[in-house]
Amino acid sequence: TDQASERVAAGQDAQALAQLGRIRQAINQATRQVRASIHQLLDGTPREQRLSDQLHAAVAEFEERYQLAIQWQAEDGAWTDTPREVTEQVLNVTREALENACRHAGARSIGVHLGRANGHRFVKIADDGRGFDPAALSGGSPGHFGLLIMAARAAHIGGELCVDSAPGAGTCVTLNVPATETRP
């Protein structure tokens, strides 16, 4: 909003209006996400959908919203009997990675892979977008908390977030959770 105010003061009304439109979209999206999180917290009924079904629905939502075909791959039985808290964190990390790929990376191709390997369950989100230097954002640059929040979500469920990216080389975000992890 400070930048929009500066643009108005500089007589750049069209740019300020465009920026305010983007701000409104971000606030609306954040409001929807907060409401969904509150609803999930208040909803005491167990989830009936499997994690893979929920992730597939999230992928379809992003495909529709951004008019983009996302390659989806889910290995049978890779994430069975997933506790609700783990499911929610995996969904949130995946959604954040997809949002970054769609909105910020300018990706034309995105793949989501849900699987199991080397004693871990994983979800991998890879894109062909503009990429970035993960080290530059690891300290939580002002306004850039997404990676820190995703890493905290991963740690909360006993997992680890791996980010492989470089400017001009796309991004691969992998959430690894020990297969034996059964925390509620």
Side-chain angles (χ1 to χ4, degrees):
T1 57
D2 290 341
Q3 291 174 351
S5 295
E6 291 170 9
R7 287 186 170 148
V8 168
Q12 300 172 343
D13 294 344
Q15 293 92 338
L17 282 173
Q19 186 162 20
L20 288 171
R22 289 189 300 274
I23 291 168
R24 176 181 285 154
Q25 286 177 330
I27 290 170
N28 288 339
Q29 178 184 354
T31 300
R32 284 191 305 273
Q33 290 174 344
V34 167
R35 287 182 180 181
S37 294
I38 290 170
H39 178 69
Q40 288 175 351
L41 288 172
L42 296 175
D43 181 11
T45 59
R47 294 253 180 224
E48 293 184 17
Q49 276 189 314
R50 298 177 317 157
L51 174 62
S52 62
D53 294 335
Q54 292 180 56
L55 280 174
H56 194 214
V59 165
E61 174 190 322
F62 276 87
E63 286 180 315
E64 183 178 330
R65 186 181 329 150
Y66 290 99
Q67 298 299 300
L68 180 67
I70 299 174
Q71 296 140 16
W72 166 252
Q73 179 183 359
E75 297 174 15
D76 286 337
W79 285 76
T80 57
D81 300 324
T82 308
R84 181 183 177 140
E85 181 179 5
V86 172
T87 296
E88 289 173 7
Q89 298 302 343
V90 171
L91 278 167
N92 286 328
V93 167
T94 303
R95 285 179 171 282
E96 179 72 20
L98 285 170
E99 193 69 42
N100 289 341
C102 292
R103 289 186 72 215
H104 305 300
R108 292 171 312 224
S109 176
I110 302 172
V112 177
H113 180 189
L114 184 67
R116 187 180 197 121
N118 303 321
H120 285 81
R121 296 175 292 181
F122 69 86
V123 61
K124 181 185 298 187
I125 304 93
D127 70 64
D128 68 348
R130 63 181 56 96
F132 64 97
D133 178 5
L137 296 181
S138 64
S141 300
H144 298 281
F145 299 106
L147 288 178
L148 290 174
I149 292 170
M150 288 192 293
R153 288 182 183 283
H156 184 71
I157 57 174
E160 178 183 23
L161 188 75
C162 300
V163 179
D164 183 20
S165 186
T171 301
C172 181
V173 175
T174 306
L175 170 61
N176 289 301
V177 179
T180 57
E181 182 64 44
T182 59
R183 290 174 53 181

